[in-house]
Amino acid sequence: MANVKDPWELALMRQSGRRLAEVVALLREAIRPGVTTAELDEIAEREITARGGRPSFKGYTAGGDVPFPATICASPNEQVVHGFPNDAALTDGDIISIDVGLIYGGFHADCAFTAAIGDVAQDVQRLLDETERSLYEGIAQARPGNRIGDIGHAIQSYIEPQGYGIVREFVGHGIGKRLHEAPSVPNYGTPNRGRLLQEGLCIAIEPMITLGNHETDMLDDGWTVVTSDGSLAAHFEHTVAVTPKGPEILTVLDDSLSHPG
Ligand code: MG
């Protein structure tokens, strides 16, 4: 079936994922009060290039008119995804969502995280922690024989009882030779519905969770997505392969963490 990777392709996906995990670790280290997202973008592009890769997002049009201008998406506070890096310094108490992708050996990897800058309020830290946990709830369902709806259901049934909003207009996706492939991977769903997950399918799972409701707006730049109610948003993403042993997270550094199931 479409977009299922053979063992050779999966080996290349692992190499892409490993490289991206290294870049993400460097970005996490660089985040602190006073740093600008333009500086983080420079680090990302330099480190991707140093590893023989190319940024996946720079120049990407997503079917629209405006090519994405940067290597990372940098989305502070009420921005959900696809914010542009700029020269504003990150400030104590902010949160920042960083999304970054690279292509290496013909295959893409995609990863995102939200970080707190300095000290943030307890409810904000909890939003970050629970969004990341919901990603792992979804990842645990990425095993052969399950369906796409099982992933979304796991995220939704973890998040919604806590009163958070789940962004619906943007979802996860298949990934490989193209950054965005079938199938779509919503962060909500019905168990045992949707496409069957087969060995070799690679997907980016990426819950986008808000302190308010699920509605979003797009800014005039044609890219930046913000919460309609101005509430804070968090975003965590891994590229995951469906393997006979269960989910394999491709965008982690430590092999001991790559098989959470
Ligand atoms: Mg993605």
Side-chain angles (χ1 to χ4, degrees):
M1 202 189 245
N3 300 333
V4 170
K5 275 66 180 171
D6 66 28
W8 173 250
E9 293 173 321
L10 195 52
L12 288 169
M13 288 291 300
R14 286 192 183 99
Q15 294 199 31
S16 296
R18 170 56 63 110
R19 281 166 174 74
L20 185 57
E22 290 171 0
V23 174
V24 165
L26 293 169
L27 289 172
R28 279 184 175 279
E29 279 173 30
I31 290 176
R32 61 179 185 282
V35 77
T36 72
T37 49
E39 289 168 336
L40 298 175
D41 189 60
E42 266 181 44
I43 293 170
E45 181 158 3
R46 183 180 74 228
E47 297 296 338
I48 287 171
T49 306
R51 286 164 177 75
R54 279 185 293 117
S56 294
F57 302 166
K58 201 170 190 176
Y60 189 69
T61 57
D65 299 329
V66 188
F68 193 77
T71 294
I72 64 170
C73 303
S75 311
N77 300 325
E78 79 290 350
Q79 293 187 10
V80 182
V81 286
H82 305 164
F84 294 176
N86 61 32
D87 290 324
L90 295 175
T91 306
D92 191 60
D94 283 345
I95 60 172
I96 182 75
S97 295
I98 304 288
D99 194 346
V100 57
L102 65 76
I103 179 168
Y104 174 83
F107 288 86
H108 291 273
D110 195 357
C111 188
F113 63 95
T114 304
I117 315 302
D119 290 322
V120 297
Q122 222 171 16
D123 63 323
V124 176
Q125 186 60 52
R126 203 174 140 254
L127 170 72
L128 272 49
D129 294 343
E130 299 297 1
T131 302
E132 186 167 22
R133 283 199 196 109
S134 78
L135 167 60
Y136 285 90
E137 293 290 320
I139 288 171
Q141 298 299 317
R143 51 184 66 255
N146 276 2
R147 291 180 182 273
I148 286 291
D150 293 307
I151 296 171
H153 177 73
I155 294 168
Q156 184 175 20
S157 59
Y158 184 80
I159 284 296
E160 284 188 341
Q162 305 193 58
Y164 298 132
I166 298 177
V167 171
R168 289 168 173 263
E169 279 181 86
F170 299 87
V171 298
H173 50 91
I175 183 167
K177 287 180 181 164
R178 285 172 296 132
L179 176 61
H180 294 114
E181 298 182 345
S184 291
V185 186
N187 298 303
Y188 52 89
T190 306
N192 206 28
R193 293 282 172 82
R195 175 173 160 170
L196 190 64
L197 305 177
Q198 310 108 313
E199 294 173 27
L201 182 68
C202 294
I203 50 179
I205 304 176
E206 50 177 322
M208 292 152 243
I209 308 298
T210 79
L211 277 180
N213 67 35
H214 70 269
E215 285 169 39
T216 59
D217 294 311
M218 173 116 35
L219 298 187
D220 289 340
D221 62 24
W223 278 101
T224 306
V225 177
V226 298
T227 55
S228 301
D229 60 8
S231 62
L232 297 178
H235 179 209
F236 285 83
E237 174 181 28
H238 276 307
T239 297
V240 177
V242 178
T243 80
K245 288 190 282 186
E248 178 179 344
I249 305 176
L250 302 178
T251 41
V252 285
L253 278 182
D254 182 350
D255 283 337
S256 69
L257 299 176
S258 64
H259 288 96

